[in-house]
Amino acid sequence: MDAHVDTSTTTTTTTTTQKNIEGLLAKLEHVRKENESLRYMVEIMNDKCNNLQSQIRTEQQMKYTNYLASYYESIHKGGRPTLAEVPISKTSKIYVKTHVDDKTLVVKDGYQWRKYGQKVTKDNPSPRAYFRCSMAPRCPVKKKVQRCMEDKRYLVATYDGEHNHDVDCSIGRSFASAKSSSMAGFPSPETSNTSRFQSNIALDLTLSGSSQEKKRPSSSDSMEDYDHHNKKMKIEEYVASLTKDSSFTIALAAAVASSITDLPKPTIL
DNA sequence: CGCCTTTGACCAGCGC
DNA sequence: GCGCTGGTCAAAGGCG
């Protein structure tokens, strides 16, 4: 009698365990499928992201070509080109995501800047800060940084001119001073991981100029192979972190919108 | 001591 | 000419 009860109990337990295993397997399968579809979606997102980037690139080049065309047409006609017709290829804008409470107006782009003024402008209650490259007057680049009026989480940095030197010339001092100056609140590369630092940069639209990339010496010029390899790795890491960063995708969408209307779309941001 | 930021003053361009 | 506005200058003070 007891043996019978034991067998039935064992059978019931076995059946329950089997059901549990089946349930877990089903769940596992479900998660696996979900994971697969998510991976697929990420791939699609990456593709779309790349497409958007090349679209922006093409659009910026088109804009510049049009500027040049109208500029030279004016000259050809014998007239003086108006200010709007003069090529403005060396001006670019980037949007940088920061904390909304951050008042420092600091955009970390690897270069060392010296602030020379701050103003409250008519169209935006947030003050605009004026910076010039610390290598001035050797390097004539200037930038203006102002909080985006539509979305206060973003800083708008407007660059004017091209750097005639490498980032590395000033990066050491830049980061050293960043530790001590008013940049508190921003992670410094020495104290935090690079991806966090990098993901702060929403999008670089310096496509028409792309001066910084062009000006950098190639590996065969002056850099050791090791350095080159390191830089390449860092760039790849950067690209990977950007494509994984959802805020980057959002900012990219905003940048596409702004490239058409010249203003970021707050609804998208 | 050198380099930086802050900030009020100054200047130039533009519209009325 | 005047006032407004954006951009720049430069003296003062802070920081390591």
Side-chain angles (χ1 to χ4, degrees):
Chain A
M1 196 56 177
D2 285 342
H4 175 71
V5 171
D6 280 345
T7 313
S8 93
T9 312
T10 312
T11 313
T12 316
T13 314
T14 312
T15 316
T16 314
T17 314
Q18 210 162 0
K19 273 184 184 171
N20 281 344
I21 290 170
E22 276 169 14
L24 284 170
L25 282 173
K27 265 187 187 177
L28 188 67
E29 187 60 29
H30 183 255
V31 169
R32 192 173 292 165
K33 278 183 182 170
E34 201 175 311
N35 196 17
E36 223 166 272
S37 63
L38 281 171
R39 193 173 297 168
Y40 180 65
M41 279 166 72
V42 167
E43 272 175 30
I44 291 173
M45 285 289 285
N46 273 341
D47 282 349
K48 283 185 178 178
C49 186
N50 288 334
N51 284 340
L52 283 169
Q53 277 181 314
S54 61
Q55 235 176 298
I56 291 168
R57 214 166 281 140
T58 314
E59 201 164 309
Q60 296 271 333
Q61 280 166 358
M62 289 267 287
K63 269 187 186 177
Y64 183 48
T65 312
N66 288 340
Y67 266 119
L68 280 179
S70 60
Y71 178 67
Y72 289 118
E73 200 185 320
S74 311
I75 292 171
H76 184 70
K77 281 177 188 168
R80 234 179 105 197
T82 62
L83 200 63
E85 288 168 330
V86 174
I88 52 163
S89 65
K90 289 170 184 178
T91 304
S92 56
K93 256 185 194 181
I94 67 166
Y95 293 89
V96 180
K97 195 176 182 181
T98 63
H99 195 274
V100 75
D101 294 331
D102 185 72
K103 307 253 190 276
T104 56
L105 292 173
V106 171
V107 173
K108 287 168 84 175
D109 49 18
Y111 287 94
Q112 169 82 349
W113 300 93
R114 175 173 293 183
K115 192 176 179 180
Y116 65 90
Q118 184 165 315
K119 272 272 178 187
V120 177
T121 55
K122 194 188 170 188
D123 56 330
N124 191 336
S126 308
R128 176 186 294 169
Y130 299 90
F131 297 88
R132 73 166 58 96
C133 182
S134 68
M135 306 296 276
R138 218 179 72 196
C139 177
V141 183
K142 289 175 189 172
K143 74 169 176 181
K144 292 175 277 190
V145 181
Q146 193 167 29
R147 200 157 282 284
C148 182
M149 202 165 61
E150 287 82 8
D151 190 335
K152 295 194 189 305
R153 291 172 301 173
Y154 286 84
L155 289 176
V156 185
T158 309
Y159 291 81
D160 186 18
E162 291 180 78
H163 289 281
N164 52 21
H165 57 89
D166 194 73
V167 172
D168 295 338
C169 295
S170 53
I171 198 162
R173 277 169 57 203
S174 167
F175 289 151
S177 66
K179 276 201 298 183
S180 60
S181 71
S182 56
M183 290 179 183
F186 282 89
S188 104
E190 288 119 323
T191 55
S192 67
N193 62 48
T194 49
S195 65
R196 194 182 156 196
F197 161 66
Q198 286 156 347
S199 69
N200 275 336
I201 297 176
L203 178 67
D204 190 345
L205 283 178
T206 57
L207 301 164
S208 55
S210 63
S211 56
Q212 295 166 10
E213 302 299 326
K214 283 179 194 165
K215 297 267 180 192
R216 275 174 208 153
S218 69
S219 59
S220 57
D221 283 348
S222 56
M223 284 184 190
E224 299 294 329
D225 284 341
Y226 179 72
D227 283 344
H228 180 246
H229 178 72
N230 266 354
K231 283 200 171 183
K232 203 177 163 188
M233 290 284 283
K234 277 179 185 172
I235 289 165
E236 278 169 8
E237 214 179 284
Y238 187 12
V239 171
S241 73
L242 279 179
T243 50
K244 281 175 195 166
D245 192 349
S246 61
S247 66
F248 169 73
T249 315
I250 295 164
L252 181 64
V256 172
S258 72
S259 74
I260 299 162
T261 63
D262 212 26
L263 272 174
K265 292 280 179 289
T267 46
I268 300 170
L269 291 172

